[in-house]
Amino acid sequence: MKISKRERQRLLGETIEATPFITDEKLAVKFNVSIQTIRLDRMELAIPELRERIKSVAASQWNETVKALSLDEVIGEIIDLELDRRAISILEIKKEHVFSRNEIARGHHLFAQANSLAVAVINDELALTAKSEIKFTRQVKAGERVVAKAFVDEVDAKGMTVVRVESFVDNEKVFTGLFHMYRSNDPKGDIGNEDSD
């Protein structure tokens, strides 16, 4: 049974309020209408597009500032940040991120999202990746949204801060990485100088 425009718009507003990061494509499937209809509904309801909703939620949920790089150098949109603890970013996989012949995302984009998030979570003006251990667990396709979650785990034996990053598409893990991060205020001193006191 087809619902009225007014009812659809009411439900659309409730859905976006409950899940602000839902895409127009998923909304179109949910309400069995075209993407264009969803966009028109959003415009009539003055609901911003996904990118603007992400920025708005991010601004309201975290007030710490990335120190080691500028926000435009982060691959993906940071939506949560607690320096030296955790961070979350979202990357929409678009045409420019994939191989044209099969629409599978190039691995360096997933790595770049995870690595830049590992840098962003460090509470220091200088944070550099000294070593990483990564694993891709499934292919990511054009149109999918990758949510990367970074957690600061420990300081390793060399004085590096270890950041664990896990990336997901719809709760399915697609990437994991351990990043050993040098920072200028590490107690062990210079990068590569393992024996410093």
Side-chain angles (χ1 to χ4, degrees):
M1 185 172 109
K2 194 165 178 128
I3 60 175
S4 69
K5 177 180 177 181
R6 172 175 268 173
E7 179 66 5
R8 183 183 68 239
Q9 288 186 344
R10 184 186 70 76
L11 292 170
L12 177 73
E14 288 177 2
T15 302
I16 291 175
E17 188 173 336
T19 54
F21 303 140
I22 191 167
T23 64
D24 286 351
E25 291 80 3
K26 287 191 177 174
L27 288 166
V29 171
K30 178 179 176 70
F31 292 105
N32 197 26
V33 295
S34 70
I35 294 170
Q36 188 61 31
T37 297
I38 294 296
R39 289 180 181 148
L40 290 170
D41 283 349
R42 276 196 303 94
M43 286 174 60
E44 286 182 31
L45 296 168
I47 297 172
E49 65 180 12
L50 176 64
R51 186 178 180 85
E52 294 306 312
R53 294 197 307 270
I54 288 171
K55 286 181 181 175
S56 173
V57 170
S60 67
Q61 290 193 355
W62 57 275
N63 54 17
E64 300 199 55
T65 304
V66 175
K67 293 188 177 179
L69 70 171
S70 66
L71 274 179
D72 62 346
E73 293 173 315
V74 176
I75 308 302
E77 298 276 346
I78 293 183
I79 61 165
D80 191 21
L81 175 67
E82 191 176 344
L83 291 173
D84 279 343
R85 299 276 314 273
R86 62 186 174 80
I88 300 173
S89 73
I90 295 177
L91 177 64
E92 296 284 341
I93 302 300
K94 299 179 179 169
K95 216 170 183 70
E96 64 264 25
H97 301 124
V98 301
F99 293 107
S100 58
R101 69 181 182 276
N102 55 23
E103 296 206 328
I104 293 173
R106 294 181 174 108
H108 65 266
H109 292 295
L110 299 181
F111 174 82
Q113 178 191 19
N115 188 62
S116 66
L117 193 61
V119 172
V121 77
I122 300 294
N123 188 12
D124 197 337
E125 297 292 329
L126 177 65
L128 302 170
T129 305
K131 179 175 93 168
S132 65
E133 304 158 42
I134 65 170
K135 182 179 180 184
F136 297 91
T137 53
R138 93 137 161 89
Q139 298 169 345
V140 177
K141 295 273 201 172
E144 292 187 311
R145 184 175 55 192
V146 181
V147 178
K149 300 179 180 183
F151 304 93
V152 176
D153 277 350
E154 61 181 313
V155 175
D156 68 16
K158 296 178 184 176
M160 303 281 178
T161 300
V162 179
V163 179
R164 174 175 41 94
V165 180
E166 297 176 336
S167 300
F168 301 85
V169 172
D170 292 330
N171 296 320
E172 182 181 357
K173 194 180 293 184
V174 297
F175 173 94
T176 58
L178 270 185
F179 296 86
H180 299 257
M181 307 299 296
Y182 166 80
R183 57 200 292 163
S184 61
N185 63 10
D186 263 341
K188 293 284 186 180
D190 295 334
I191 188 167
N193 186 0
E194 299 173 17
D195 300 322
S196 62
D197 294 324

